[in-house]
Amino acid sequence: MGEETEVPVNTEVLDETWRVRISTSGGEVLGAGILLAADAVLTCAHVIPTSPGDHIGPTGAVVPSAEVRVELVGVPGARAVPARVADGCWVPELADSRGDVALLTLAEPQDARHAAPLHRVAPTRGRSVWMCGFPSTRELKDGVWFRATLAGPSGPRGEWVQMFPVTPEETVRPGFSGAAVTDAETHRVLGMVVSRYDDRSSAALAGQRLHLSYMIPIETVVRHLPEIDRYVSGERGNSLPSVPQGAARDREFARWLARWFAAAEDTRRLEAIVIKKGEAVRAATLSRAVTLADREPPADATAPAGPAPPRHRPEPEEPDDLLPPVGSVDLALDVSGETVAQVAGRVADRLGLSPAGDGGSAVGLLGGTGAVPLTIVAEGVDYAADPLALVEFGDLLARRGARLLLVFRNPESQSLELALRMADPGKDDTAARLDRVRDRIDHIARRERTAHDRAALIAPVRPVPQRAAALRLDLTALRRHPEPDGARFLADLGAFERTVEAELLRVEEAIGLAETQIARRNELRGRLEAFFALLAARSLEEERAAAPLYRAAHNLLHQAPCELAEAERAVQRFAETVRHHTHRPRGDGPA
């Protein structure tokens, strides 16, 4: 591999400089590829031709030794350079149709600034994408752009994601395999074109042809080629601890989890379960199910001991009723000690959303998005920073299309009781809906007090308007409606429910922003003390000279409200003085 290992950021739009055309030495177009680093190109294994002289790889499949030519078509003046399959980076289409990925090493390194920004993101339905391939038509030799929307998991065990072309003419065709699939909104590469399917047989019965296209998500590519992990940004979808294959499991629980992950018709959108401390078998069963449902499981979680690399082994044999579809869990995390804002940040990242600047908020992003089509497993809910607030937030996500499995450790916890009521609301008549709105307004009142307390610690953080009292008055007026079962009343009730949900999101957003500022204040406190420790090793005279700057910064950081910008400047002044006295170049010392 080349020396460039950092994930590059490429801001080109539709001039994607990572686009690679792969050809034979004679100029025949074989397919497409994605530049990952100065000397690394990702493509589909079937793009590279095989020959009788090729050697046999670990899977027993032929590994091509032929040299191909790659060319950065998005870079003016770039010329074709030789490339070969990198050692150990050939995963052909396996017997069960998985795989079909390869990594090429270039004979002549390219400018790494042209490399692709690969990103882990849940391939959610309806996401708009584009791709550029190289049909054999001479007029289109420099590439043609196609648009599509992601449809959902398909192919072998759900490894692929089906794409609906915007028009039938934009169905991928020969020359597109290996092309980058780019998110139209963020311009990050989410996957790689793997295949097309133009069904003439079954569709002929209906007098039409089906035009289908598929991609391999980046996380699935990493599953087969762990070598590319260093080029991928974004957190892994599964952060729960893995368990080794063969660990004891509760088979009935595993069967229920497989059905819930597969979104069987009789499963609910929000579920609350208990795995008590000490229930190791149930905990291992959950972790194992999440691992099997993850597109990118830990390398040691799907394979027994043996000489072959994990990606070359077949998937673990599991009974069908215990095997959840690959990709059926988008996010799995331990929320112990986590705030609503921190959990919202993980959800937003899986959706490919990023807060704008320091003033951005993941809660605000999720409140503004139309849908949250993710399947989420949250473990340790009753040990979160505010369990009741997290359950309420989970219910809001469920109302926006998410499926949530909330896992509790204490069967007596108040947050579990709330989650069970939300998971099984029972009768959904007018009185029950009004009672749920009342409970949510009470929760808003509690969170408004929390927001007020957080805002009092930092400046400038605007105090949150206290609106719970006004909402209670509106609810009282709604209860006195003259026609409580009429169409007008039901419309007003639905609108009021949405208003209350929006208000809760507004309060959570304010808390999240304040907590971000508080975390920055605490970081500055630590930095101040670290530099003070450096000064302690100097002479008494030097310590006395810097002491007023230390006291000024210390006082600013420990007053309430803390003027954060002023305190940050004071810490910087003290740090520069310490660097001067310790004869350290600027930039040394604590970060």
Side-chain angles (χ1 to χ4, degrees), residues 272-491:
I273 63 173
V274 177
I275 300 180
K276 294 184 288 188
K277 289 184 176 181
E279 292 186 334
V281 172
R282 277 175 62 84
T285 302
L286 174 64
S287 294
R288 181 65 179 161
V290 170
T291 295
L292 291 172
D294 188 14
R295 292 188 180 279
E296 186 186 356
D300 60 348
T302 60
R311 64 177 178 276
H312 293 308
R313 299 191 187 98
E315 287 291 305
E317 294 185 3
E318 301 276 353
D320 289 343
D321 61 343
L322 303 185
L323 197 62
V326 171
S328 56
V329 172
D330 299 301
L331 178 62
L333 66 165
D334 186 339
V335 297
S336 302
E338 299 285 290
T339 65
V340 168
Q342 289 170 323
V343 174
R346 291 294 308 277
V347 174
D349 182 69
R350 288 301 287 160
L351 287 171
L353 304 174
S354 300
D358 294 337
S361 162
V363 176
L365 283 173
L366 295 175
T369 190
V372 184
L374 300 178
T375 296
I376 303 169
V377 177
E379 203 275 333
V381 175
D382 45 342
Y383 282 74
D386 189 326
L388 292 173
L390 190 58
V391 171
E392 289 278 359
F393 181 67
D395 184 57
L396 293 184
L397 293 180
R399 291 173 182 271
R400 282 166 166 74
R403 303 184 76 250
L404 292 102
L405 180 62
L406 305 181
V407 185
F408 297 78
R409 298 172 187 166
N410 180 5
E412 306 298 327
S413 68
Q414 186 180 3
S415 55
L416 172 61
E417 181 183 350
L418 174 62
L420 290 173
R421 289 202 307 270
M422 291 178 170
D424 186 15
K427 61 181 181 178
D428 197 33
D429 58 17
T430 299
R433 290 174 64 183
L434 289 169
D435 288 344
R436 286 201 298 274
V437 171
R438 177 203 60 204
D439 293 342
R440 180 149 287 167
I441 293 173
D442 290 343
H443 176 68
I444 288 173
R446 290 191 295 270
R447 296 300 280 171
E448 283 178 344
R449 290 192 291 272
T450 299
H452 178 270
D453 293 343
R454 299 287 194 276
L457 299 176
I458 298 291
V461 172
R462 288 180 298 179
V464 178
Q466 308 293 295
R467 296 177 180 167
L471 290 174
R472 288 192 177 105
L473 292 175
D474 292 341
L475 177 60
T476 299
L478 199 59
R479 288 183 183 276
R480 294 172 178 171
H481 197 283
E483 298 181 7
D485 294 320
R488 177 63 182 273
F489 169 80
L490 294 177

Side-chain angles (χ1 to χ4, degrees), residues 1-16:
M1 296 298 168
E3 295 180 357
E4 180 67 31
T5 59
E6 294 185 354
V7 176
V9 177
N10 192 316
T11 58
E12 299 288 337
V13 180
L14 289 181
D15 278 338
E16 297 173 344

